[in-house]
Amino acid sequence: MTLAAARIDTGDTAWLLAATALVLLMTPGLALFYGGMVRTKSVLNMLMMSFVSIALVTVVWLAAGYSLAFGDDAFGGLVGDLRHAGMAGLGPDSVQGTVPTLLFATFQLTFAIITAALVSGAIADRAKFGAWLVFVPLWALLVYVPVAHWVWGPGGWILDRLGALDFAGGLPVEITSGASGLALCLVLGPRLGFKKDAMRPHNLPMVMLGAGLLWFGWFGFNAGSALGANGLAAAAFLNTLTAGCTGLLGWLFVEQRRGHPTTLGAASGAVAGLVAITPSCGSVSLIGALVVGLAAGVVCSYAVGWKFKLNYDDSLDVVGVHLVGGIIGTLLIGVFATEAMTGGAEGVLYGGGLAQLGKQLVAVVAVGAYAFVVTYGLGKLLDRLMGFRADEEQEQTGLDLTVHAESAYDHGVLGHGAPVSSSLPTAQKVKTQA
């Protein structure tokens, strides 16, 4: 047995293997969550946008993403080097802390996957699938990878120089996906009928199932970020459960005051609480987790309505839940961080003054601005080169039929039967099959 292999802790490794599987499960859970929220004519397209992200991000992560995010710093805290491109130099005996490096890289890969998939919710019902296939790998390399290096990579400027805290991904995952979703929905413009037609979720049981899978996977997301089977993982696990509960209750409280607590509100509130506790689960006490989740549930329930006032069509509330929730959770570290959890840094309420809150604010602004600007530029470039917005006929008919030649519910319409003549216009094809 080599010296490196002897340093691998089997308990930590077993837990991280389980946590990695849990986080990967979150992307199919997200697919169901998003799929239930769209209309029947674009359900399969929504599922596909999440599932294909698994394959696309995996390829670019193994090729270069992991090395750029977690390789030795190469450009003043901005990005890592390419020493491990193609996972070069890494084998079964390579160790990161007390776990195999290959496992650590896979665990971090699952974060990159779901972050890319999250962005799709902002542009549901109206994006070209072909453009999405090009966007995802480019976005992962240009947006997610640098931010991951800033926050978690060796020598990353947010981690080592600024000193802002982010335990499990409020900055690289939540704020990055939310700001990118906002940029992309501005590039594509609103859906046909936005603010005029009813665009209600078509399958609320599917939404609830997706939310349940997300919540289940989130324990791997947050507690797994301790990278070991230890007390910190246990604390992050309990904080995650707590914030999900208070987020759900906070959202329902707002809806009750409006007259009708809803299943969609319950699912959205739980997710909002989980989003907010993601950066702070390893920094705040149980009381802090209660407040973080509650604040996210209440504030995000109002934030999802901003799109109607500000006229941006964030289809499935990526901005209202992930951007706003991520900001809340990241900033409240500066209020509720305790030395018992962080090993040093403390928030305002625990005698740390405003210093940590200021660091958290700088990190939020920097990451949000970077993700928005780069995503907007990338979206505009792809829109000019190949078109990012589906044409009007495709959007009206539904992307399931026009793009994938399938239907989620009407098995007699372009399911897997005889193909319809490709010479017919789309609308005529659908009419013929009906």
Side-chain angles (χ1 to χ4, degrees), residues 21-268:
L22 285 170
V23 182
L24 182 61
L25 180 64
M26 291 177 72
T27 299
L30 179 71
L32 291 174
F33 184 69
Y34 278 173
M37 291 176 69
V38 297
R39 292 167 289 178
T40 56
K41 62 184 181 179
S42 294
V43 181
L44 299 178
N45 179 259
M46 198 71 255
L47 298 177
M48 282 286 285
M49 291 179 81
S50 287
F51 268 83
V52 78
S53 297
I54 298 175
L56 293 170
V57 176
T58 296
V59 171
V60 298
W61 186 258
L62 298 178
Y66 171 73
S67 188
L68 291 170
F70 291 96
D72 292 339
D73 184 66
F75 297 98
L78 298 180
V79 72
D81 59 26
L82 286 170
R83 179 188 307 178
H84 299 304
M87 308 306 286
L90 301 177
D93 290 341
S94 302
V95 178
Q96 177 79 26
T98 59
V99 300
T101 304
L102 292 177
L103 175 58
F104 173 78
T106 308
F107 179 65
Q108 296 298 340
L109 163 62
T110 60
F111 282 62
I113 289 169
I114 195 169
T115 307
L118 282 169
V119 178
S120 67
I123 55 173
D125 290 334
R126 63 193 188 279
K128 285 185 177 180
F129 189 67
W132 178 251
L133 295 177
V134 177
F135 172 82
V136 168
L138 292 175
W139 180 89
L141 288 174
L142 295 176
V143 179
Y144 181 83
V145 163
V147 176
H149 182 77
W150 300 353
V151 178
W152 295 321
W157 74 269
I158 288 179
L159 173 69
D160 287 354
R161 303 182 188 187
L162 178 62
L165 301 177
D166 184 346
F167 189 73
L171 293 163
V173 178
E174 309 300 351
I175 292 176
T176 297
S177 63
S180 297
L182 176 60
L184 215 53
C185 73
L186 293 177
V187 171
L188 269 65
R191 289 165 290 177
L192 298 175
F194 177 61
K195 297 199 293 186
K196 296 178 182 178
D197 299 339
M199 298 181 181
R200 300 184 182 91
H202 87 281
N203 191 326
L204 288 170
M206 184 185 291
V207 173
M208 295 294 281
L209 175 60
L213 289 172
L214 284 169
W215 201 337
F216 178 60
W218 229 297
F219 293 118
F221 202 92
N222 287 357
S225 293
L227 301 180
N230 51 40
L232 182 58
F237 194 108
L238 181 57
N239 281 347
T240 300
L241 174 62
T242 300
C245 292
T246 54
L248 185 156
L249 294 173
W251 196 299
L252 288 186
F253 173 77
V254 174
E255 288 196 329
Q256 181 65 56
R257 289 176 59 86
R258 294 171 176 168
H260 300 284
T262 66
T263 54
L264 179 60
S268 299

